[in-house]
Amino acid sequence: MSAASSRPARWWASWVRLLDTREPGTALALFRIVTGLSLTYALGSMLAADLVEVLWVDLAYGGYRSLEGRWLVRALGGATGAVVHTLVAITLLAGVLLTVGIVARGAALVAGQGWLALTTLNPDAMCAYDPLLTNSLWLLVLADSTATLSARCRLREGRWTSDRLVTAWPRYLVIAQLTVLYFGTGLSKISVHWTPGGGFSALYYILQQPSWQRADMTWLASVYPLTQIATAVTWLWEVTWPVVVLALWLRRHPDRGGRLRRRFVRLPIRTVYVAIGLTMHVSAGALMVLGPFSAITLAYYPCLFRAPELERGLSRVARRRPAPAR
Amino acid sequence: MRAGLVLVHLLAVGLLALPDARGIEESRASWANPTVQAELRAWSSRLSAVGWQTDPTTLRNDVLAVATSWNATVTTLRTPVQPYEDLLGVRQRWRMFVVPHRYPAKLHVDILEDGRWRTVYAARSPDHRWRGAQLDDVRVRAMLFRYGWERYRREYRAFARWLARRAGEDFPSAERVRIRWWGYRTPSPREVADGDAVPGEFRQTADVALARFR
């Protein structure tokens, strides 16, 4: 076999080996729990505000406009009150099952299709977190997310936590999805206000928009330079997020050498990006009404860490003795 | 097999995430909006300053031509993986806070009682909160953000009809309801510091007699 033809074969073999990696399922379990809670909250808040009928039911049955819906809604007979409320109930139940960790893959599939059917009923009332949540639920169909921190674990092993190993590739897909989200939203920021030419004034003016603000935000004028710094940091952080994936990849084999790898192993790139992300999402949640967007996005963050790192962090938070490193 | 499927998933997500310019191409009516006009003016002036001589009209035409051509390319590239998105909803278009809306609008609802208008709802007002739990919900905020744009006038009218019906139920003694937008320009930091009043005006007024809903 020639060198040229063996190189793709070697790449493929490395790819297969990478996907064979197994690890404790803590990160995926946390992703499942926060995603399930976010879905439950998203639907629960719709019910609490009595908005299901208004936004998702057709004009002929009590809504305010004509709605068509996707194949599932059409197959069930259209956006009538009964169909929509049944879909809400089933999706909500699936969200609860997903959170507690019973039949999680099936629950994620049902929840994903239910959520997709409901949120695409009225395109005018769609939020940015709707497709993100649908993506999360599909990733949970692919992942074994109940190995630990789940009712299934409790039933199988008599305790809530377990070191049982799961395949790591769904966690890699979660990281890929987060990267596409941040990088994509960074690339789409085309306004002059996001650039030095516009004085990095985007966040100041976005926070003046009545649509998302929690309260009057004119006070931000007194700290305008801070909003300029925040704008620059947010935009740079988003468009350079792929560097986190590169850092994670290079840190996977610190022993292999190379100047770039040595530099990336030394620099706390992931820590810096996660800290900025947490600050950004918490600030956005405090200043703006964005629904469960921050929670749905932050559900992805545990997957940036390997299980031993997460367990050490959780132990520290719980003020317990740190778990031994694997 | 698994390695191949994971690769297909990543390929699909990558292709679906290619930024498209569908919004630019499809919402030509929005080009007249002052926020978009201000962006065109700002970009044409900055591009001219660095040697690419252009003006807002030329820039708009250039952007439209590039967007149309780019959208056709992206649509072709996405064709093989589009069923994956359609079936599972794994949409990858993440256009969030793309442009600050410098000319937003706030929804106001007033009722006519005993010959006098009374405000019952004003967006972001702590004092006028009729049906606030519904109208201030994140999903309705997203909807009202869209309805403030001229291109959504039909949907806005439909929602105004729904609001009028609710007002007829909630205020039995009211004769009319008036639903309208307060459109204004968001103040610059300097204008806030100087205490300048923000200019604005009411528009897209729907004035509805409530007798028909009782």
Side-chain angles (χ1 to χ4, degrees), chain A residues 17-18 21 172 247-255 261:
Chain A
R17 264 200 312 281
L18 175 71
T21 308
Y172 304 154
L248 291 175
W249 172 251
L250 293 173
R251 284 168 65 116
R252 201 176 140 77
H253 299 289
D255 48 312
R261 190 183 303 272

Side-chain angles (χ1 to χ4, degrees), chain A residues 20 64 70 124 191 197 210, chain B residues 2 39 46 86 124 146-147:
Chain A
D20 279 340
Y64 78 96
R70 285 167 56 86
D124 298 347
S191 169
Chain B
R2 182 178 63 192
E39 284 287 335
R46 275 147 188 93
D86 295 342
R124 310 297 83 81
R146 293 180 175 107
Y147 290 178

